[in-house]
Protein backbone atom coordinates (compact mmCIF):
# COMPACT_ATOMS: atom_id res chain seq x y z
CA UNK A 1 0.00 0.00 0.00
CA UNK A 2 2.82 2.41 0.81
CA UNK A 3 4.34 1.86 -2.62
CA UNK A 4 0.94 2.38 -4.23
CA UNK A 5 0.24 5.61 -2.41
CA UNK A 6 3.70 6.90 -3.21
CA UNK A 7 3.10 6.13 -6.85
CA UNK A 8 -0.18 8.04 -6.87
CA UNK A 9 1.64 11.10 -5.62
CA UNK A 10 4.51 10.93 -8.11
CA UNK A 11 5.23 14.21 -9.85
CA UNK A 12 3.29 16.36 -7.44
CA UNK A 13 4.72 19.11 -5.34
CA UNK A 14 4.87 19.55 -1.60
CA UNK A 15 1.49 20.30 -0.11
CA UNK A 16 1.14 23.83 1.22
CA UNK A 17 -1.31 24.64 3.97
CA UNK A 18 -3.79 27.47 3.46
CA UNK A 19 -6.58 28.60 5.73
CA UNK A 20 -10.23 28.54 4.73
CA UNK A 21 -12.34 30.80 6.89
CA UNK A 22 -11.36 31.63 10.43
CA UNK A 23 -10.15 28.19 11.45
CA UNK A 24 -6.66 28.45 9.98
CA UNK A 25 -4.75 25.47 8.61
CA UNK A 26 -2.35 24.59 11.39
CA UNK A 27 -4.32 21.99 13.29
CA UNK A 28 -2.73 18.57 12.94
CA UNK A 29 -5.78 16.47 13.79
CA UNK A 30 -9.52 16.59 13.40
CA UNK A 31 -10.78 18.41 16.43
CA UNK A 32 -14.07 19.20 18.10
CA UNK A 33 -14.66 22.26 20.23
CA UNK A 34 -17.93 23.60 21.57
CA UNK A 35 -19.94 21.36 19.26
CA UNK A 36 -17.88 22.35 16.23
CA UNK A 37 -15.81 19.78 14.35
CA UNK A 38 -12.80 20.85 12.31
CA UNK A 39 -12.29 18.73 9.21
CA UNK A 40 -9.26 18.90 6.93
CA UNK A 41 -9.91 19.09 3.21
CA UNK A 42 -7.33 18.65 0.44
CA UNK A 43 -8.10 20.87 -2.56
CA UNK A 44 -6.52 22.41 -5.66
CA UNK A 45 -6.02 26.22 -6.04
CA UNK A 46 -8.34 26.58 -9.03
CA UNK A 47 -11.76 28.14 -9.60
CA UNK A 48 -13.43 24.71 -9.29
CA UNK A 49 -13.36 24.81 -5.48
CA UNK A 50 -14.77 28.33 -5.08
CA UNK A 51 -18.08 26.94 -3.74
CA UNK A 52 -16.27 25.44 -0.76
CA UNK A 53 -14.88 28.84 0.23
CA UNK A 54 -18.23 30.52 -0.40
CA UNK A 55 -19.97 27.90 1.71
CA UNK A 56 -17.60 28.57 4.58
CA UNK A 57 -18.08 32.33 4.18
CA UNK A 58 -21.88 32.07 4.04
CA UNK A 59 -22.02 29.80 7.09
CA UNK A 60 -23.31 26.68 5.32
CA UNK A 61 -20.70 24.54 7.08
CA UNK A 62 -20.76 26.44 10.35
CA UNK A 63 -24.49 26.01 10.89
CA UNK A 64 -23.92 22.28 10.62
CA UNK A 65 -21.15 22.35 13.18
CA UNK A 66 -18.26 22.08 10.71
CA UNK A 67 -15.16 24.23 10.29
CA UNK A 68 -12.91 23.64 7.28
CA UNK A 69 -9.12 23.56 7.34
CA UNK A 70 -7.85 23.36 3.77
CA UNK A 71 -4.57 22.31 2.21
CA UNK A 72 -3.63 23.13 -1.40
CA UNK A 73 -2.10 20.60 -3.80
CA UNK A 74 -1.20 20.45 -7.50
CA UNK A 75 -3.74 17.78 -8.41
CA UNK A 76 -6.05 15.04 -7.27
CA UNK A 77 -3.30 12.44 -7.47
CA UNK A 78 -1.60 14.14 -4.51
CA UNK A 79 -4.80 14.44 -2.51
CA UNK A 80 -5.88 10.79 -2.72
CA UNK A 81 -3.06 9.43 -0.53
CA UNK A 82 -3.59 12.33 1.88
CA UNK A 83 -7.18 11.26 2.43
CA UNK A 84 -6.53 7.53 2.67
CA UNK A 85 -3.68 8.07 5.13
CA UNK A 86 -5.86 10.22 7.37
CA UNK A 87 -4.00 13.47 6.69
CA UNK A 88 -7.29 14.85 5.37
CA UNK A 89 -10.83 13.79 6.18
CA UNK A 90 -12.11 14.93 2.78
CA UNK A 91 -10.56 15.75 -0.57
CA UNK A 92 -11.35 17.23 -3.98
CA UNK A 93 -10.19 15.17 -6.93
CA UNK A 94 -10.86 14.74 -10.60
CA UNK A 95 -12.72 11.58 -11.53
CA UNK A 96 -9.74 9.94 -13.23
CA UNK A 97 -7.62 10.06 -10.07
CA UNK A 98 -10.49 8.57 -8.09
CA UNK A 99 -11.08 5.82 -10.64
CA UNK A 100 -7.37 4.96 -10.78
CA UNK A 101 -7.24 4.76 -7.01
CA UNK A 102 -10.38 2.63 -6.77
CA UNK A 103 -9.18 0.27 -9.51
CA UNK A 104 -5.95 -0.24 -7.56
CA UNK A 105 -7.79 -1.16 -4.38
CA UNK A 106 -7.29 2.19 -2.64
CA UNK A 107 -10.29 2.66 -0.28
CA UNK A 108 -11.87 5.88 -1.57
CA UNK A 109 -15.51 6.86 -1.85
CA UNK A 110 -16.96 9.85 -3.71
CA UNK A 111 -19.56 11.59 -1.55
CA UNK A 112 -20.52 14.89 -3.22
CA UNK A 113 -20.40 16.50 -6.62
CA UNK A 114 -17.51 18.85 -7.30
CA UNK A 115 -17.48 20.59 -10.66
CA UNK A 116 -18.67 20.08 -14.23
CA UNK A 117 -17.82 21.33 -17.68
CA UNK A 118 -20.09 24.00 -19.15
CA UNK A 119 -20.61 21.64 -22.06
CA UNK A 120 -20.11 24.47 -24.55
CA UNK A 121 -17.11 24.27 -26.89
CA UNK A 122 -15.14 27.50 -26.89
CA UNK A 123 -16.84 28.63 -23.69
CA UNK A 124 -15.61 26.12 -21.12
CA UNK A 125 -13.52 26.65 -17.99
CA UNK A 126 -10.89 24.29 -19.39
CA UNK A 127 -9.25 24.65 -22.79
CA UNK A 128 -6.28 23.67 -24.93
CA UNK A 129 -4.36 26.79 -25.92
CA UNK A 130 -1.31 27.73 -28.00
CA UNK A 131 0.89 30.82 -27.91
CA UNK A 132 -0.08 33.97 -29.75
CA UNK A 133 1.04 33.71 -33.36
CA UNK A 134 1.49 29.92 -33.23
CA UNK A 135 1.06 28.07 -36.52
CA UNK A 136 -0.87 25.35 -34.64
CA UNK A 137 -4.59 25.69 -35.30
CA UNK A 138 -5.82 22.15 -34.65
CA UNK A 139 -5.14 19.44 -32.03
CA UNK A 140 -4.06 17.22 -34.92
CA UNK A 141 -0.96 19.40 -35.31
CA UNK A 142 0.18 18.58 -31.77
CA UNK A 143 1.86 15.40 -33.00
CA UNK A 144 5.53 15.74 -32.04
CA UNK A 145 4.77 18.85 -29.99
CA UNK A 146 5.19 19.48 -26.26
CA UNK A 147 1.85 19.81 -24.43
CA UNK A 148 1.59 20.68 -20.74
CA UNK A 149 -0.93 19.04 -18.38
CA UNK A 150 -1.02 19.43 -14.61
CA UNK A 151 -0.66 15.68 -13.99
CA UNK A 152 0.51 13.03 -16.44
CA UNK A 153 -1.68 10.00 -17.14
CA UNK A 154 -4.74 11.71 -15.75
CA UNK A 155 -7.97 13.45 -16.75
CA UNK A 156 -6.47 16.36 -18.68
CA UNK A 157 -4.13 14.16 -20.66
CA UNK A 158 -7.04 11.85 -21.51
CA UNK A 159 -9.12 14.86 -22.56
CA UNK A 160 -6.38 16.24 -24.82
CA UNK A 161 -5.84 12.81 -26.32
CA UNK A 162 -9.54 12.67 -27.20
CA UNK A 163 -9.38 16.11 -28.84
CA UNK A 164 -6.39 14.96 -30.90
CA UNK A 165 -8.25 11.79 -31.94
CA UNK A 166 -11.37 13.72 -32.93
CA UNK A 167 -9.22 16.06 -35.03
CA UNK A 168 -7.76 13.06 -36.88
CA UNK A 169 -4.39 12.97 -35.12
CA UNK A 170 -2.47 10.29 -33.22
CA UNK A 171 -2.38 11.10 -29.49
CA UNK A 172 0.47 8.64 -28.94
CA UNK A 173 2.71 11.02 -30.91
CA UNK A 174 2.07 13.95 -28.54
CA UNK A 175 4.83 14.77 -26.04
CA UNK A 176 3.00 15.37 -22.75
CA UNK A 177 4.85 17.15 -19.94
CA UNK A 178 3.75 17.75 -16.37
CA UNK A 179 3.44 21.35 -15.20
CA UNK A 180 1.41 23.04 -12.47
CA UNK A 181 -1.44 25.21 -13.78
CA UNK A 182 0.06 28.41 -12.40
CA UNK A 183 3.36 27.71 -14.19
CA UNK A 184 1.74 27.18 -17.59
CA UNK A 185 1.28 30.86 -18.61
CA UNK A 186 4.99 31.70 -18.29
CA UNK A 187 6.09 28.44 -19.94
CA UNK A 188 3.78 29.02 -22.91
CA UNK A 189 4.78 32.66 -23.24
CA UNK A 190 8.49 31.72 -23.24
CA UNK A 191 7.98 28.97 -25.81
CA UNK A 192 9.04 26.21 -23.41
CA UNK A 193 5.88 24.32 -24.38
CA UNK A 194 3.86 24.33 -27.59
CA UNK A 195 0.44 24.07 -25.97
CA UNK A 196 -1.20 23.81 -22.57
CA UNK A 197 -4.34 22.20 -21.24
CA UNK A 198 -5.39 24.69 -18.58
CA UNK A 199 -8.35 25.48 -16.36
CA UNK A 200 -9.30 28.77 -14.74
CA UNK A 201 -7.78 31.07 -13.62
CA UNK A 202 -4.61 30.02 -15.50
CA UNK A 203 -6.65 29.85 -18.72
CA UNK A 204 -7.74 33.50 -18.49
CA UNK A 205 -4.16 34.53 -17.74
CA UNK A 206 -2.92 32.91 -20.95
CA UNK A 207 -5.74 34.36 -23.02
CA UNK A 208 -4.82 37.84 -21.78
CA UNK A 209 -1.28 37.10 -22.98
CA UNK A 210 -2.76 36.49 -26.42
CA UNK A 211 -2.98 32.69 -26.30
CA UNK A 212 -5.38 31.10 -28.78
CA UNK A 213 -7.81 28.31 -27.87
CA UNK A 214 -7.76 25.40 -30.31
CA UNK A 215 -10.02 22.92 -28.50
CA UNK A 216 -12.27 22.34 -25.49
CA UNK A 217 -11.03 18.89 -24.43
CA UNK A 218 -13.40 18.42 -21.48
CA UNK A 219 -16.32 19.00 -23.82
CA UNK A 220 -14.77 16.58 -26.31
CA UNK A 221 -14.79 13.85 -23.66
CA UNK A 222 -18.50 14.08 -22.91
CA UNK A 223 -21.35 16.55 -22.88
CA UNK A 224 -21.64 18.15 -19.43
CA UNK A 225 -18.74 16.11 -18.07
CA UNK A 226 -18.49 15.64 -14.31
CA UNK A 227 -14.86 16.63 -13.92
CA UNK A 228 -14.33 16.20 -10.17
CA UNK A 229 -15.99 15.23 -6.91
CA UNK A 230 -15.39 15.51 -3.18
CA UNK A 231 -14.47 12.23 -1.54
CA UNK A 232 -13.37 10.54 1.65
CA UNK A 233 -11.87 7.21 2.67
CA UNK A 234 -14.23 4.26 3.09
CA UNK A 235 -13.06 3.80 6.67
CA UNK A 236 -13.76 7.44 7.59
CA UNK A 237 -17.22 7.21 6.00
CA UNK A 238 -18.01 4.09 8.00
CA UNK A 239 -16.78 5.52 11.31
CA UNK A 240 -18.14 9.06 10.91
CA UNK A 241 -21.44 8.88 8.98
CA UNK A 242 -22.88 11.95 10.74
CA UNK A 243 -19.90 14.16 9.80
CA UNK A 244 -19.99 12.89 6.22
CA UNK A 245 -23.70 13.67 5.95
CA UNK A 246 -23.16 17.21 7.27
CA UNK A 247 -20.31 17.74 4.80
CA UNK A 248 -22.46 16.44 1.92
CA UNK A 249 -25.34 18.76 2.85
CA UNK A 250 -23.06 21.79 3.20
CA UNK A 251 -21.34 21.10 -0.11
CA UNK A 252 -24.69 20.70 -1.89
CA UNK A 253 -25.86 24.06 -0.55
CA UNK A 254 -22.53 25.65 -1.49
CA UNK A 255 -22.72 24.30 -5.06
CA UNK A 256 -26.26 25.62 -5.46
CA UNK A 257 -25.22 29.04 -4.18
CA UNK A 258 -22.20 29.27 -6.49
CA UNK A 259 -24.16 28.06 -9.51
CA UNK A 260 -26.92 30.65 -9.07
CA UNK A 261 -27.07 33.40 -11.70
CA UNK A 262 -27.01 36.04 -8.96
CA UNK A 263 -23.59 35.14 -7.56
CA UNK A 264 -20.86 35.16 -10.26
CA UNK A 265 -19.20 38.25 -8.78
CA UNK A 266 -19.04 36.58 -5.37
CA UNK A 267 -17.47 33.51 -6.95
CA UNK A 268 -14.79 35.62 -8.62
CA UNK A 269 -14.13 37.57 -5.44
CA UNK A 270 -13.66 34.47 -3.29
CA UNK A 271 -11.10 33.09 -5.74
CA UNK A 272 -8.79 35.93 -4.67
CA UNK A 273 -8.73 34.50 -1.14
CA UNK A 274 -6.85 31.37 -2.18
CA UNK A 275 -5.13 32.31 -5.45
CA UNK A 276 -3.04 35.30 -6.51
CA UNK A 277 -5.29 36.23 -9.39
CA UNK A 278 -5.28 39.88 -10.60
CA UNK A 279 -8.61 41.66 -11.05
CA UNK A 280 -8.24 41.92 -14.84
CA UNK A 281 -7.77 38.16 -15.05
CA UNK A 282 -10.72 37.40 -12.78
CA UNK A 283 -12.98 39.49 -14.96
CA UNK A 284 -12.15 37.20 -17.90
CA UNK A 285 -12.51 33.90 -16.02
CA UNK A 286 -15.06 31.47 -17.46
CA UNK A 287 -16.92 29.89 -14.59
CA UNK A 288 -17.66 26.15 -14.65
CA UNK A 289 -20.99 24.58 -13.75
CA UNK A 290 -21.68 23.33 -10.23
CA UNK A 291 -24.67 20.97 -10.50
CA UNK A 292 -25.91 19.26 -7.35
CA UNK A 293 -25.66 15.79 -8.88
CA UNK A 294 -22.89 14.04 -10.78
CA UNK A 295 -23.49 13.05 -14.42
CA UNK A 296 -22.94 9.30 -14.23
CA UNK A 297 -23.06 8.68 -17.98
CA UNK A 298 -20.27 11.21 -18.53
CA UNK A 299 -18.16 9.46 -15.90
CA UNK A 300 -18.74 6.15 -17.65
CA UNK A 301 -17.53 7.71 -20.92
CA UNK A 302 -14.43 9.06 -19.17
CA UNK A 303 -13.81 5.59 -17.72
CA UNK A 304 -13.86 4.01 -21.19
CA UNK A 305 -11.43 6.59 -22.58
CA UNK A 306 -9.12 6.19 -19.58
CA UNK A 307 -9.16 2.43 -20.04
CA UNK A 308 -8.36 2.93 -23.74
CA UNK A 309 -5.38 5.05 -22.69
CA UNK A 310 -4.15 2.28 -20.41
CA UNK A 311 -4.70 4.04 -17.09
CA UNK A 312 -6.29 1.02 -15.38
CA UNK A 313 -4.95 -2.44 -14.71
CA UNK A 314 -8.49 -3.47 -13.86
CA UNK A 315 -11.64 -1.45 -14.51
CA UNK A 316 -12.86 0.59 -11.52
CA UNK A 317 -16.11 -0.38 -9.80
CA UNK A 318 -18.24 2.72 -10.20
CA UNK A 319 -21.03 1.20 -8.11
CA UNK A 320 -18.70 1.26 -5.10
CA UNK A 321 -16.99 4.54 -5.95
CA UNK A 322 -19.99 6.76 -6.62
CA UNK A 323 -22.65 7.74 -4.05
Amino acid sequence: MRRLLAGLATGTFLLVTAACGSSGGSSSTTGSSGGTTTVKVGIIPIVDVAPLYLGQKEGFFGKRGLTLSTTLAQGGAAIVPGVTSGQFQFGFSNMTSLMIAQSNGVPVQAIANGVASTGVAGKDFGALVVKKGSSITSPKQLEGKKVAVNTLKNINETAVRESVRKAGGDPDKVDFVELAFDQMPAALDKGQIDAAMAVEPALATMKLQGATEIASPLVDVAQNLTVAMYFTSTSYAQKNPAVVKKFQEAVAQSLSYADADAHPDEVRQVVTTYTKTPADVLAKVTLPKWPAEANRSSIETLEKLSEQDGLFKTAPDLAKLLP
Side-chain angles (χ1 to χ4, degrees), residues 34 64 97 102 115 122 125 131 134 142 170 209-210 243 284-285 299 304:
R64 293 175 172 86
S97 288
Q102 206 276 341
V115 69
F125 78 105
K131 184 178 179 179
S134 172
L142 294 177
D170 183 354
Q209 292 174 345
V243 177
K284 299 292 185 180
V285 163
I299 297 172
K304 292 175 183 176

Side-chain angles (χ1 to χ4, degrees), residues 264-280:
D265 291 338
E266 289 182 59
V267 172
R268 288 184 168 85
Q269 175 58 35
V270 84
V271 173
T272 65
T273 66
Y274 62 95
T275 71
K276 296 178 181 179
T277 308
D280 61 333

Side-chain angles (χ1 to χ4, degrees), residues 13 28 108 128 205 208 212 223 276 288:
F13 63 89
S28 59
V108 293
L128 183 61
T205 298
L208 284 173
T212 301
Q223 189 71 28
K276 296 178 181 179

Side-chain angles (χ1 to χ4, degrees), residues 5-302:
L5 294 179
L8 285 170
T10 297
T12 56
F13 63 89
L14 185 64
L15 297 176
V16 180
T17 300
C20 178
S22 60
S23 66
S26 60
S27 176
S28 59
T29 60
T30 302
S32 182
S33 175
T36 299
T37 300
T38 297
V39 291
K40 295 181 178 180
V41 189
I43 57 175
I44 309 167
I46 50 181
V47 71
D48 307 31
V49 298
L52 205 69
Y53 287 84
L54 279 177
Q56 180 84 331
K57 178 175 176 287
E58 295 298 318
F60 302 153
F61 290 90
K63 73 178 183 180
R64 293 175 172 86
L66 298 179
T67 298
L68 306 184
S69 174
T70 61
T71 297
L72 304 181
Q74 181 168 320
I79 296 171
V80 169
V83 170
T84 55
S85 68
Q87 182 182 356
F88 314 129
Q89 283 70 56
F90 301 103
F92 176 88
S93 175
N94 70 74
M95 294 313 303
T96 300
S97 288
L98 291 178
M99 289 191 289
I100 291 173
Q102 206 276 341
S103 71
N104 284 324
V106 179
V108 293
Q109 183 178 333
I111 58 170
N113 202 24
V115 69
S117 162
T118 65
V120 182
K123 296 181 180 180
D124 197 20
F125 78 105
L128 183 61
V129 297
V130 295
K131 184 178 179 179
K132 180 181 180 180
S134 172
S135 61
I136 300 172
T137 57
S138 165
K140 181 178 181 179
Q141 295 172 279
L142 294 177
E143 293 179 357
K145 303 297 183 181
K146 189 175 293 185
V147 180
V149 291
N150 69 312
T151 308
L152 293 172
K153 301 295 181 183
N154 214 287
I155 187 169
N156 285 319
E157 179 176 330
T158 293
V160 172
R161 291 172 69 89
E162 182 64 2
S163 291
V164 172
R165 278 191 207 97
K166 287 189 171 182
D170 183 354
D172 290 335
K173 294 181 180 179
V174 177
D175 179 17
F176 289 99
V177 296
E178 186 169 285
L179 199 62
F181 288 126
D182 61 2
Q183 295 174 13
M184 290 180 185
L188 187 67
D189 193 50
K190 294 176 182 178
Q192 296 170 343
I193 54 176
D194 298 296
M197 172 56 201
V199 298
E200 299 291 10
L203 177 58
T205 298
M206 286 187 278
K207 285 184 175 179
L208 284 173
Q209 292 174 345
T212 301
E213 180 174 339
I214 62 170
S216 299
L218 299 176
V219 179
D220 285 339
V221 169
Q223 189 71 28
N224 303 320
L225 174 67
T226 293
V227 178
M229 295 183 71
Y230 291 94
F231 71 103
T232 189
S233 66
T234 54
S235 62
Y236 187 83
Q238 291 167 359
K239 295 175 182 177
N240 302 275
V243 177
V244 171
K245 183 178 180 181
K246 290 177 182 178
F247 185 81
Q248 288 174 314
E249 292 174 347
V251 168
Q253 188 174 5
S254 301
L255 293 174
S256 178
Y257 188 88
D259 210 42
D261 291 339
H263 302 138
D265 291 338
E266 289 182 59
V267 172
R268 288 184 168 85
Q269 175 58 35
V270 84
V271 173
T272 65
T273 66
Y274 62 95
T275 71
K276 296 178 181 179
T277 308
D280 61 333
V281 174
L282 274 177
K284 299 292 185 180
V285 163
T286 298
L287 299 180
K289 297 299 293 179
W290 287 292
E293 301 294 332
N295 182 341
R296 190 185 182 96
S297 64
S298 74
I299 297 172
E300 292 171 348
T301 298
L302 178 62

